[in-house]
Amino acid sequence: MADQNVPQNVENEQDPGASTQMFRAFVNEGATEPKTEPKLNGRMLAIVGAAVILIAVVAAIAVL
């Protein structure tokens, strides 16, 4: 009869306080790191590449 007070699934219980603390630590960790964009992203590289190709085509036409 003493076994009735012991929970049956002790391993599956989760501590909601610990989950909250871990979530807050995760959020605070992300907030401390400043988010900066890279100086040269993919879109900028595509624009510069297209400009270089356009200049090369115009120069090739001008030479003819």
Side-chain angles (χ1 to χ4, degrees), residues 22-61:
M22 288 188 289
F23 177 72
R24 285 183 181 167
F26 171 74
V27 170
N28 289 337
E29 179 181 318
T32 58
E33 298 175 10
K35 184 177 180 182
T36 59
E37 286 192 31
K39 300 265 183 193
L40 200 59
N41 58 14
R43 181 178 290 171
M44 189 59 107
L45 285 175
I47 292 172
V48 169
V52 168
I53 291 173
L54 182 64
I55 291 171
V57 168
V58 170
I61 292 173

Side-chain angles (χ1 to χ4, degrees), residues 8-28:
Q8 296 296 324
N9 56 355
V10 175
E11 295 178 12
N12 293 333
E13 288 186 18
Q14 295 180 354
D15 182 15
S19 296
T20 303
Q21 289 173 351
M22 288 188 289
F23 177 72
R24 285 183 181 167
F26 171 74
V27 170
N28 289 337

